[in-house]
Amino acid sequence: MSIQWFPGHMNAARKKAEESMEKVDMVIEVLDGRIPQASSNPMIERLRLFRQRPCLKILNKADLADPAATSAWIKHYNQQKDVNAVALSCKKPSDVAKIPQLCIKLVPNRGTALKPLRIMIMGIPNVGKSTLMNALLKKRVAKVGDEPAVTKTQQRLYLGNNIVLIDTPGMMWPKIEHPSDGLMLAASHAIGSNALIEEEVATFLAEMLLARYPALVSARYGFPTEGIDGVAVIEGIAKRRAYRLKGGEPDLEKAAHTLLQDYRSGALGRVSLETPQSRVELLASYQPPPSLSLGEAQDDPDITDEM
């Protein structure tokens, strides 16, 4: 299943972000701590690198993510030039209070009355940008919703301490290159429900959980996971929760929704769907095999027969 989601307002948001990037000093990119790289918009990276703007990467929802995976991601990002990374929950005021100082460390020549620090806050939909804005300003200035793409326009706000915040709408990119990224984004509720089939997304999620966190699945739903696949997990949830359709058939749609909600809310436990190492393996799996030279092809009887 290949998931693509790029509503029309996001193209306008991208163009506005391009214009504004020239006038800011740094970028805060809010990521989903459970899928940091899958939730990193490549358009944001290209824009900030073109303007040579440093970046504070916030791995939000860290309280829902696997601590070991999060630690590996922080180390990975902190090795990059002009990047600092921090894991936190935007719902915790004590975590959010650390952010202004981290920003000033990245751009020490700004943050005065004559030269205020201008920060653009960016990220994909439903990753927590609006929650971050409201927590930073200690008042409700950005609309928060459970569905992706609630914020649709850019706004400029003043934090105090000579810091200006430019909030941008959540932006996806026109084509999600790797199908598994689309599925991880969909599972994590970054993609509108009209662009996906929940049962397919939940089956993908179940397969990942069986590979990485089988004990959490067993603990949550009360059945053993040895020798089963993702479809069997959905069927098992329907059976254990007595989800039935008229006629007695298992309600797999309701079971799929339950699994997705349990993952999104943290009811399953602290789960990360990718690590820096798994990302390397993913990208390697999408690389085409090296093409053979004509000489090598002639030495291979199977290929020369086809030629």
Side-chain angles (χ1 to χ4, degrees), residues 73 134 162 183 268 271 304:
W73 279 114
N134 293 339
N162 303 307
L183 289 161
L268 264 171
V271 169
T304 50

Side-chain angles (χ1 to χ4, degrees), residues 176-195:
I176 299 172
E177 185 176 357
H178 307 304
S180 57
D181 283 353
L183 289 161
M184 284 191 284
L185 289 164
S188 302
H189 208 24
I191 289 177
S193 55
N194 61 327

Side-chain angles (χ1 to χ4, degrees), residues 236-288:
I237 293 171
K239 182 178 179 180
R240 295 290 296 186
R241 299 290 175 89
Y243 295 157
R244 297 284 177 187
L245 297 168
K246 288 182 180 178
E249 291 296 314
D251 190 341
L252 300 182
E253 185 177 342
K254 187 173 182 180
H257 185 73
T258 293
L259 177 63
L260 291 171
Q261 287 298 106
D262 284 352
Y263 160 67
R264 292 166 181 172
S265 68
L268 264 171
R270 300 183 70 171
V271 169
S272 292
L273 300 186
E274 63 173 357
T275 65
Q277 181 58 37
S278 74
R279 191 73 191 176
V280 169
E281 293 166 1
L282 168 71
L283 296 179
S285 73
Y286 283 108
Q287 293 297 321

Side-chain angles (χ1 to χ4, degrees), residues 27-255:
V27 171
I28 288 178
E29 184 181 14
V30 185
L31 306 171
D32 186 324
R34 300 165 297 183
I35 51 168
Q37 197 57 34
S39 63
S40 181
N41 185 336
M43 292 196 307
I44 293 174
E45 191 71 356
R46 284 197 296 270
L47 284 175
R48 77 164 192 89
L49 289 176
F50 177 73
R51 292 293 178 186
Q52 298 182 339
R53 300 299 188 251
C55 182
L56 176 65
K57 290 185 182 285
I58 293 178
L59 278 64
N60 189 27
K61 307 181 184 181
D63 54 326
L64 304 179
D66 183 329
T70 298
S71 177
W73 279 114
I74 294 294
K75 182 179 179 181
H76 169 78
Y77 287 127
N78 282 338
Q79 290 172 343
Q80 298 176 2
K81 183 181 178 184
D82 294 329
V83 171
N84 190 14
V86 60
L88 51 78
S89 170
C90 289
K91 293 181 179 180
K92 294 182 179 179
S94 59
D95 282 0
V96 173
K98 305 171 187 174
I99 293 173
Q101 219 34 56
L102 292 171
C103 292
I104 289 172
K105 284 183 180 179
L106 270 173
V107 193
N109 60 325
R110 306 288 303 194
T112 66
L114 293 176
K115 291 184 177 181
L117 176 58
R118 302 162 299 179
I119 303 169
M120 183 180 284
I121 299 181
M122 307 182 80
I124 65 169
N126 216 22
V127 79
K129 290 192 305 84
S130 295
T131 302
L132 172 62
M133 290 289 297
N134 293 339
L136 279 170
L137 292 152
K138 298 179 182 176
K139 59 182 178 180
R140 190 182 177 89
V141 294
K143 189 176 179 182
V144 178
D146 188 46
E147 275 299 310
V150 171
T151 304
K152 289 185 169 62
T153 57
Q154 196 176 98
Q155 57 179 332
R156 186 183 182 94
L157 300 154
Y158 295 87
L159 180 57
N161 298 321
N162 303 307
I163 294 176
V164 180
L165 302 175
I166 299 166
D167 185 28
T168 61
M171 290 191 298
M172 292 298 292
W173 53 106
K175 180 175 173 55
I176 299 172
E177 185 176 357
H178 307 304
S180 57
D181 283 353
L183 289 161
M184 284 191 284
L185 289 164
S188 302
H189 208 24
I191 289 177
S193 55
N194 61 327
L196 55 92
I197 299 171
E198 278 201 336
E199 282 186 55
E200 293 186 12
V201 175
T203 300
F204 166 83
L205 175 62
E207 294 281 2
M208 295 205 76
L209 294 172
L210 288 173
R212 295 170 183 264
Y213 304 98
L216 294 182
V217 175
S218 291
R220 179 66 179 170
Y221 302 115
F223 55 79
T225 57
E226 293 83 2
I228 69 173
D229 60 10
V231 173
V233 170
I234 307 301
E235 292 172 346
I237 293 171
K239 182 178 179 180
R240 295 290 296 186
R241 299 290 175 89
Y243 295 157
R244 297 284 177 187
L245 297 168
K246 288 182 180 178
E249 291 296 314
D251 190 341
L252 300 182
E253 185 177 342
K254 187 173 182 180

